[in-house]
Amino acid sequence: MPLASDRPDTEQDRPHSGVHVDAETDPDAAEGAIKVSRGPVPLATILTVFAIAIALVVVWKLSFVMLMGFAGVLLAIALRNSAIFIARFTGIPPTVGVFLVLGLVLLAVAALIANAGPEIAQQMRQLINAIPKAWTQVTQWLSNSTIGNLLINQMSESGNVVRDGASASGASGPPAGTFNGIFGFVRGTLNAATGGIANLVLIVTVAIFLAINPGPYIQGALLLVPVPRRERAAAIVQELGDKLWSWLAGQALDMLVVATLSGLGLWLLGIPLALALGIIAGLTNVIPYIGPFLGGAPAVLFALTQGPRDAINVLVLFIVIQQLEGNVIMPLIQRRAAGLPPVMTIFGVIGFGVLFGLPGILVAAPLMVVAMVLVQRLYIEGVLGDDLPAHKPEKSDAA
């Protein structure tokens, strides 16, 4: 009885690889080799690959500019929708409402500077004067502890620590590079502040032009989409605008609550600059998971001018506020706003922070909102074919 392996292969038994092999003309066919035809690659394919590669390089090189543009778009959405909200009650055109919103914001900032500016300067002087005393207390505590002595000895060996007004080498004056280091720090701080102000002015300028008349820019972007898909693209753009506005409104409400609770709590604790520190806490709260630390640090530092006990009380106050905000306030707001899952937000902050630094962290959450909408509409619906709940456009006079 012949075995199955001894039977000659028939045409029906042979696996179809999609490539025709001729055993008579191809000497490698007897050994089971498969020849793949190598036709010329179309020029259009080569150009498309090069165009995609060049576009990715340009996007990477201009990432900071694109992040600034995205920040301008966010501010434009906030200005435009706020102007539309005011126009519903006053009847003024949205274009005029944009300038009215800007005027109100500038008036509030000017009032804050006029009222809190002198006090902030006074408290800053007190804080600077208190730093040497606080540093002396820290060094004394380190000298009286085993771990502190170990750290001081390690730093003394490298010549980086100063003991009792003298350097590790025994000299009685400051190190030679101290003044150069201070000058470099001040110069770097001034350059960073100047660049930050210039970038802020540019973002606000872009936002104003977009908020006054967004129609031509939206229509120009849609012209880049093939005609059969423009209606779908317009719907996605509308959804992106609505989702970003919902996120902005939710964040604004959350920032207002945090600023109010922080300012009221600091005022009850008798901490100076309670209003200004509360506003700082509310503004920095827009940065997920990092903002609370940035907002609480100035309050704790100013509380140190009052004493260590006040600093501890302020620290406890901010911990309680952040627990209340994260577990009670924000979940209630996210029911109506474009809420993001916490894990997505965390990975978004980490990812954009690694790629783009601080600017990426500042806009990580709204960028994740954009990414979520695009994945849902373009991939889950467009590629996989799943049915997702349709977006209900908000009624506005944005046109």
Side-chain angles (χ1 to χ4, degrees):
M1 179 177 179
L3 298 176
S5 58
D6 297 331
R7 289 182 298 165
D9 291 341
T10 63
E11 187 68 25
Q12 188 175 11
D13 295 330
R14 295 192 187 103
H16 294 279
S17 61
V19 179
H20 177 69
V21 178
D22 191 349
E24 296 180 356
T25 59
D26 193 345
D28 295 331
E31 300 178 2
I34 299 177
K35 290 290 185 179
V36 180
S37 60
R38 297 181 179 177
V41 179
L43 180 60
T45 303
I46 298 176
L47 294 178
T48 301
V49 172
F50 273 103
I52 293 175
I54 294 174
L56 291 176
V57 172
V58 170
V59 169
W60 178 256
K61 292 295 184 180
L62 300 179
S63 58
F64 181 73
V65 178
M66 299 185 69
L67 289 176
M68 289 182 58
F70 182 71
V73 171
L74 285 176
L75 184 57
I77 292 174
L79 290 175
R80 183 72 181 182
N81 284 274
S82 299
I84 292 172
F85 180 78
I86 294 176
R88 291 176 181 174
F89 296 95
T90 60
I92 62 176
T95 302
V96 179
V98 170
F99 292 101
L100 179 60
V101 172
L102 285 173
L104 292 175
V105 172
L106 293 177
L107 183 62
V109 172
L112 179 62
I113 294 176
N115 293 329
E119 189 175 358
I120 290 176
Q122 179 183 358
Q123 293 299 323
M124 284 298 297
R125 286 193 295 267
Q126 293 180 6
L127 181 60
I128 293 173
N129 294 331
I131 288 177
K133 182 179 178 181
W135 175 250
T136 302
Q137 294 176 351
V138 171
T139 54
Q140 290 178 354
W141 176 81
L142 290 174
S143 300
N144 295 329
S145 64
T146 304
I147 298 177
N149 283 321
L150 179 61
L151 293 175
I152 291 177
N153 291 332
Q154 293 294 329
M155 296 176 66
S156 297
E157 292 177 359
S158 60
N160 292 329
V161 78
V162 176
R163 283 177 175 265
D164 300 329
S167 64
S169 61
S172 59
T178 299
F179 296 105
N180 292 332
I182 294 175
F183 177 75
F185 174 77
V186 173
R187 183 176 58 184
T189 303
L190 291 177
N191 291 336
T194 304
I197 294 174
N199 293 334
L200 180 60
V201 171
L202 181 60
I203 290 173
V204 172
T205 304
V206 171
I208 292 174
F209 281 106
L210 289 176
I212 292 175
N213 189 15
Y217 305 99
I218 297 176
Q219 295 299 325
L222 292 176
L223 290 177
L224 302 176
V225 181
V227 176
R229 299 182 180 179
R230 283 183 188 172
E231 184 176 357
R232 173 67 171 165
I236 294 176
V237 171
Q238 176 69 37
E239 183 175 0
L240 285 173
D242 292 343
K243 291 290 185 180
L244 288 175
W245 168 240
S246 297
W247 180 84
L248 287 169
Q251 286 297 319
L253 181 58
D254 180 63
M255 291 163 59
L256 178 62
V257 173
V258 171
T260 303
L261 293 177
S262 301
L264 182 61
L266 293 173
W267 177 72
L268 292 176
L269 291 175
I271 304 301
L273 299 175
L275 175 61
L277 293 174
I279 293 175
I280 292 174
L283 292 176
T284 56
N285 198 66
V286 71
I287 308 175
Y289 307 105
I290 300 176
F293 297 98
L294 299 177
V300 175
L301 287 176
F302 277 110
L304 278 174
T305 61
Q306 305 290 106
R309 179 175 297 180
D310 289 332
I312 295 175
N313 292 335
V314 170
L315 181 62
V316 172
L317 170 67
F318 273 87
I319 292 175
V320 172
I321 291 175
Q322 290 305 318
Q323 291 297 317
L324 180 65
E325 185 266 345
N327 297 311
V328 179
I329 300 173
M330 201 59 187
L332 293 176
I333 294 175
Q334 286 181 347
R335 291 183 181 180
R336 297 293 302 275
L340 287 172
V343 175
M344 287 183 61
T345 305
I346 293 174
F347 279 105
V349 171
I350 295 174
F352 288 111
V354 171
L355 291 174
F356 309 114
L358 181 60
I361 294 176
L362 294 176
V363 296
L367 282 175
M368 290 302 297
V369 172
V370 174
M372 183 177 64
V373 173
L374 294 179
V375 168
Q376 289 176 348
R377 300 307 178 190
L378 298 181
Y379 180 72
I380 297 179
E381 285 188 346
V383 177
L384 301 182
D386 290 347
D387 292 330
L388 296 178
H391 173 66
K392 296 180 180 179
E394 296 182 0
K395 296 181 180 180
S396 65
D397 302 322

